[in-house]
Amino acid sequence: MVKLYEGGVYLLDGKKIVPENEAKAILAERKTTKEQAKQGTISYKILKEHNHSESMENMRLKFDAMASHDITFVGIIQTAMASGMKQFPIPYVLTNCHNSLCAVGGTINEDDHVFGLSACKKFGGIFVPPHIAVIHQYMREMMAGCGKMILASDSHTRYGALGTIAVGEGGGELVKQLLKDTYDIAYPEVVGVYLEGKPNPGVGPQDIALAIIGKVFKNGYVKNKVMEFVGPGIASMTTDFRNGIDVMTTETTCWTSVWKTDEDTRQFLAMHGRENEYKELNPESTAYYDGMIYIDLSTVKPMIALPFHPSNVYEIKDFVANAGDIIESIEKEAQEKFDGKVQLNLHDKLKNGKFYVDQGIIAGCAGGNYTNVMEAARILKTKSCGTDYFSLAVYPSSQPVFLELVKNGAIADLMTAGAAVKTAYCGPCFGAGDTPSNQAFSIRHTTRNFPNREGSKPGNGQISSVALMDARSIAATAANGGILTSAEDLGLDEWEVPEYHFNKNVYENRVYQGFGKANDSEELIFGPNIKPWPQQKALANNVLLKVCSKIMDAVTTTDELIPSGETSSYRSNPIGLAEFTLSRRDPEYVGRAKEVFAEEKERTENPAAFASTTDAAEILKKINSIKGFEKLNFSDIEIGSTIYAVKPGDGSAREQAASCQRVLGGLANIAKEYATKRYRSNVINWGMLPFLMDEEPEFENGAYIFVPNILDAINSDKMDSIPAYILCDGAKVCVSNSANSEIKEIKLKIAPLTPVEKETVKAGCLINFNRNKAGL
């Protein structure tokens, strides 16, 4: 059972939940107030220790360590260098777990790895070579600690089960830390997650995580908040098990997470040679939470998250019993999502009341943990995956985990059963490894099942789909020849996972430890694909936006804004990567944006010729017809593209979801709301205006929207109602019909910006802001 409390609650002595409207007498008895009780959370204590402002309401945070992987670290380091960075001021871990296979683009992936090592030597970083560990497992094993804060350029940055507040953000926020600046954020609401009871045999961390996600994602219960795990049920799970729940909190859209710590936390850290990083973290005897999620762990059943989102959750037994009706709704959703370009067929998987699966994957920071793989090996011991279409691949999350699994025989059991065992790699999680065949159905203990994220390309007539499940039920399905099976059906007994032994030599013999050893004489090694960020201009006071994509989906993921998978090879080449922007969701976007970019180039380089064109003359005529702008000309108007999306930015922290738009001349996003803080931050850090609009968009692709005096609005903090004008709605040919089409005034707004965010947008991007500040 998962229950959500309405309104705030008090947690008394870590055991009793009291709704706020029932707590007046208790507060009087305990001689405390709501404001004092708010300071009783674990979250408050950690955030206060890392806050460098005078106010906890508007925090300026500095982190203890950072991490990036090989899709993101080149761009971050390039940005920091352009901004004046000389060395890494805090431990900065560069892992190579995303582009590890070097399978696309010739030498360019390995060139990025070589660049990363040379950067660690020059600036004093920590370099984890390919196949040694996925980013989050290495950080759990070697960097996280109780009361610490860690920032990483990956959305699944969650080390809360080790008492660490860890945040996944776009590269710009990491650059700020490299420049000894701060991460600025208003103090977030804190939601308690009260765990009681004990998971049943066959129920794993993914099941518990999916149960939570299914309850809180769609209603936004924890959006941009801290999830703080408390309650007696925590003691029923090992830290390794807790890690598997914790990493999936990203899919709730919370800002971060943290757990109370105990003796098992201490043992985990001690096992990894870091017992000094342990301290007991508990809420105070009276702690106030802005909401509370109550979970009886004993009631959680094996779960499945069906395409196309981790929140599309069912109990496996319920899905199997009603598969026909449920898959019909998924097929219909696919038809709408892919604009009828490809037909998803799941009914072929349903035969004689049984649902057949084509592939199973257990991998990465969510599935590849020691406990999960051991449980899968236990189930598959003496069993067979079969010789039909179904296949199973297992990726242990680090070489130390892999080594222990070899020593205790688990790998032998998996391989004997027919599973393919592979090295630490994140590819199956983002579409660059184990891509299923067309129309195949894959069950995965990974983090996401967004459309296209498994690697299919509906625009090319290729489509497959992914469901998220726990390793235990994936193994049960494998043992049943690919027939979807709940681990609960196996009647498993209580079983204690064999003790784990960490071998530190794996890292000591291969990981470059350069923090504090920066050597400025070291030369950076650039491959031919590594390109610097293109220069950007400062924002003009008046902007003319042309709508180049209008997306009315309920949510637009970052994987749709910039696809993952094979495009990852171009992450170090901003212009090359930009060619893939929205390629799987709106393939015409890049061409439209380039046309607008060409208009702006002509306006700045040859203004007289530009102003004389029919299009420009008609648009200017419309602008001059608006009261107060009769004498405005194109020397005072910057032209750029924009996208409209209802709720963009769910998913990855990768800044390229925004920077690719900027490289193509993007000046703004317009949205009803932003799915995550990190995507909005990426928009801002790349100098684009993060507009909001309450009304339904009365414009189509090709519409021109004039936004005057935007700098004045930003400078004066009058951003809650910004006048803008639709000069043509895009449904007509704007030139020939413009004289007869009505100019429509609309209201845009921008949610409050921090002082740094204001200056960043005005400067045109974070690089410009930093260079201006440094006088470069």
Side-chain angles (χ1 to χ4, degrees):
M1 180 183 70
V2 181
K3 173 186 174 182
L4 305 183
Y5 280 76
E6 293 184 10
V9 304
Y10 291 88
L11 181 65
L12 307 180
D13 305 316
K15 298 177 181 178
K16 185 178 181 181
I17 301 170
V18 179
E20 183 175 1
N21 58 8
E22 301 174 14
K24 185 175 180 180
I26 293 172
L27 294 180
E29 180 185 337
R30 296 193 172 210
K31 297 180 180 178
T32 190
T33 66
K34 177 179 176 178
E35 288 307 311
Q36 290 172 324
K38 279 189 171 184
Q39 299 178 23
T41 65
I42 299 168
S43 305
Y44 184 90
K45 299 171 193 172
I46 297 175
L47 292 170
K48 183 174 174 53
E49 289 177 3
H50 291 81
N51 181 26
H52 288 255
S53 81
E54 296 179 357
S55 164
M56 281 296 287
E57 291 183 11
N58 295 292
M59 300 183 298
R60 303 181 65 219
L61 301 171
K62 288 193 174 183
F63 291 80
D64 299 299
M66 299 198 309
S68 294
H69 51 66
D70 49 348
I71 282 180
T72 57
F73 65 61
V74 176
I76 291 168
I77 294 169
Q78 292 263 64
T79 302
M81 289 166 56
S83 302
M85 180 201 68
K86 299 301 181 185
Q87 65 179 16
F88 299 156
I90 58 176
Y92 186 20
V93 177
L94 308 186
T95 67
N96 295 270
C97 51
H98 278 59
N99 281 341
S100 312
L101 295 185
C102 306
V104 179
T107 71
I108 61 180
N109 288 342
E110 188 60 21
D111 290 344
D112 286 353
H113 302 159
V114 171
F115 171 86
L117 179 56
S118 70
C120 285
K121 290 182 176 182
K122 185 177 185 66
F123 300 120
I126 300 166
F127 184 82
V128 183
H131 307 289
I132 299 299
V134 300
I135 178 172
H136 302 309
Q137 184 64 14
Y138 182 86
M139 297 304 287
R140 292 167 185 155
E141 292 174 352
M142 302 306 294
M143 303 299 294
C146 302
K148 295 175 74 172
M149 288 193 70
I150 292 176
L151 182 68
S153 54
D154 185 272
S155 56
H156 289 101
T157 305
R158 295 287 187 268
Y159 317 128
L162 293 162
T164 299
I165 287 184
V167 179
E169 276 283 1
E173 296 303 321
L174 278 76
V175 170
K176 292 176 186 177
Q177 297 291 307
L178 291 176
L179 298 173
K180 300 182 182 180
D181 289 334
T182 55
Y183 177 95
D184 301 344
I185 185 173
Y187 185 80
E189 292 188 355
V190 181
V191 173
V193 185
Y194 189 90
L195 303 179
E196 195 166 59
K198 178 181 180 180
N200 292 316
V203 171
Q206 188 80 320
D207 298 315
I208 297 165
L210 293 178
I212 297 171
I213 295 164
K215 197 74 172 178
V216 305
F217 173 79
K218 292 175 183 175
N219 59 17
Y221 191 78
V222 296
K223 182 180 175 181
N224 292 332
K225 302 174 185 178
V226 183
M227 294 176 71
E228 182 165 309
F229 287 76
V230 294
I234 290 177
S236 71
M237 303 174 287
T238 66
T239 301
D240 194 53
F241 191 105
R242 300 171 200 173
N243 284 333
I245 301 172
D246 185 60
V247 72
M248 290 298 293
T249 61
T250 294
E251 302 310 322
T252 68
T253 69
C254 74
W255 177 58
T256 187
S257 60
V258 70
W259 296 52
K260 72 183 292 292
T261 61
D262 57 17
E263 177 61 19
D264 196 84
T265 321
R266 186 194 66 76
Q267 290 178 9
F268 182 95
L269 291 166
M271 178 198 314
H272 292 89
R274 300 189 299 113
E275 188 171 5
N276 62 315
E277 297 282 4
Y278 175 74
K279 60 181 175 183
E280 188 174 348
L281 300 177
N282 282 302
E284 297 292 338
S285 58
T286 308
Y288 177 83
Y289 293 92
D290 298 283
M292 182 66 76
I293 304 167
Y294 170 87
I295 305 166
D296 182 348
L297 296 170
S298 67
T299 64
V300 176
K301 302 293 185 180
M303 311 292 288
I304 183 169
L306 294 167
F308 296 98
H309 198 276
S311 64
N312 193 14
V313 173
Y314 297 83
E315 290 185 10
I316 293 176
K317 67 175 183 179
D318 290 340
F319 169 64
V320 172
N322 302 283
D325 292 337
I326 295 170
I327 61 179
E328 185 172 343
S329 68
I330 296 171
E331 290 172 346
K332 182 179 179 181
E333 181 182 353
Q335 183 78 4
E336 295 172 354
K337 185 172 284 290
F338 303 127
D339 301 321
K341 293 176 181 177
V342 64
Q343 185 76 41
L344 177 64
N345 181 6
L346 295 179
H347 274 89
D348 283 354
K349 310 297 177 189
L350 189 59
K351 302 171 185 177
N352 300 319
K354 297 178 180 179
F355 191 85
Y356 284 78
V357 174
D358 301 286
Q359 182 192 66
I361 303 287
I362 300 170
C365 57
N369 299 3
Y370 173 75
T371 300
N372 294 330
V373 179
M374 283 300 304
E375 290 275 16
R378 171 204 180 192
I379 290 169
L380 281 167
K381 187 179 179 70
T382 74
K383 304 290 195 310
S384 169
C385 295
T387 59
D388 214 325
Y389 288 107
F390 178 82
S391 65
L392 175 65
V394 179
Y395 295 74
S397 55
S398 71
Q399 285 287 71
V401 169
F402 200 152
L403 180 59
E404 183 67 6
L405 293 166
V406 169
K407 286 184 174 180
N408 66 22
I411 295 298
D413 292 337
L414 288 167
M415 294 178 74
T416 302
V421 182
K422 307 182 183 183
T423 53
Y425 178 47
C426 297
C429 188
F430 69 97
D434 285 297
T435 301
S437 63
N438 185 51
Q439 295 292 348
F441 189 92
S442 177
I443 52 174
R444 301 187 174 192
H445 193 158
T446 55
T447 55
R448 289 200 176 116
N449 62 336
F450 295 166
N452 320 136
R453 196 172 171 93
E454 80 294 340
S456 64
K457 298 180 180 179
N460 292 358
Q462 308 166 5
I463 187 169
S464 56
S465 49
V466 166
L468 301 181
M469 285 170 45
D470 189 83
R472 292 146 189 80
S473 291
I474 293 173
T477 300
N480 202 12
I483 298 171
L484 189 65
T485 304
S486 166
E488 187 179 46
D489 294 343
L490 302 182
L492 297 171
D493 298 326
E494 292 279 354
W495 184 64
E496 187 172 331
V497 174
E499 184 180 356
Y500 175 69
H501 303 91
F502 174 73
N503 189 325
K504 64 179 181 180
N505 295 327
V506 175
Y507 292 151
E508 288 182 352
N509 291 335
R510 192 69 189 100
V511 175
Y512 176 78
Q513 298 286 345
F515 179 63
K517 304 173 186 176
N519 183 356
D520 188 56
S521 65
E522 286 282 347
E523 293 292 329
L524 292 173
I525 302 174
F526 291 89
N529 186 62
I530 299 176
K531 306 294 184 184
W533 292 108
Q535 291 186 352
Q536 303 296 338
K537 295 184 298 185
L539 180 68
N541 193 33
N542 306 295
V543 298
L544 179 64
L545 304 174
K546 189 170 186 179
V547 180
C548 289
S549 186
K550 179 184 175 184
I551 305 172
M552 297 303 293
D553 298 346
V555 178
T556 302
T557 69
T558 47
D559 283 292
E560 291 171 301
L561 293 166
I562 182 65
S564 53
E566 81 282 3
T567 61
S568 298
S569 295
Y570 300 93
R571 300 288 178 180
S572 303
N573 183 340
I575 295 175
L577 182 64
E579 294 289 335
F580 295 93
T581 313
L582 278 167
S583 60
R584 295 185 188 171
R585 183 62 189 83
D586 186 356
E588 305 303 316
Y589 166 79
V590 171
R592 298 186 196 115
K594 283 183 174 181
E595 289 177 3
V596 181
F597 199 19
E599 289 179 15
E600 172 62 5
K601 185 177 181 182
E602 181 76 2
R603 182 193 72 86
T604 55
E605 294 182 358
N606 196 350
F610 173 77
S612 66
T613 63
T614 303
D615 288 27
E618 291 289 342
I619 290 296
L620 186 59
K621 183 179 178 181
K622 278 186 162 292
I623 291 173
N624 292 155
S625 72
I626 302 171
K627 186 177 180 180
F629 304 104
E630 294 86 352
K631 297 183 179 180
L632 201 65
N633 59 57
F634 272 115
S635 64
D636 300 314
I637 304 171
E638 184 179 3
I639 303 172
S641 57
T642 189
I643 68 167
Y644 176 88
V646 176
K647 188 177 179 181
D650 186 25
S652 170
R654 294 190 302 268
E655 65 184 298
Q656 291 93 344
S659 67
C660 284
Q661 297 172 50
R662 183 63 168 151
V663 165
L664 292 170
L667 278 182
N669 277 200
I670 305 175
K672 197 155 203 161
E673 67 174 302
Y674 290 93
T676 56
K677 175 202 171 296
R678 55 184 174 270
Y679 176 69
R680 181 177 184 269
S681 294
N682 287 337
V683 170
I684 292 167
N685 284 330
W686 279 105
M688 292 192 291
L689 294 156
F691 284 130
L692 295 167
M693 187 171 75
D694 293 331
E695 296 81 15
E696 292 298 306
E698 296 185 34
F699 50 77
E700 302 297 331
N701 286 330
Y704 280 101
I705 302 174
F706 175 55
V707 188
N709 301 323
I710 187 60
L711 291 180
D712 296 339
I714 293 172
N715 289 332
S716 64
D717 266 335
K718 295 180 178 178
M719 297 181 288
D720 57 344
S721 183
I722 301 170
Y725 304 88
I726 302 174
L727 304 183
C728 69
D729 63 12
K732 306 182 183 78
V733 178
C734 293
V735 176
S736 63
N737 293 323
S738 61
N740 300 319
S741 60
E742 182 182 355
I743 296 173
K744 179 176 177 58
E745 182 175 351
I746 59 173
K747 295 295 183 183
L748 303 176
K749 60 183 178 181
I750 298 175
L753 299 170
T754 68
V756 170
E757 287 175 335
K758 287 183 185 179
E759 296 305 316
T760 298
V761 171
K762 288 159 55 179
C765 67
L766 184 64
I767 293 175
N768 291 356
F769 166 75
N770 287 326
R771 291 182 67 82
N772 293 344
K773 187 174 68 171
L776 298 176

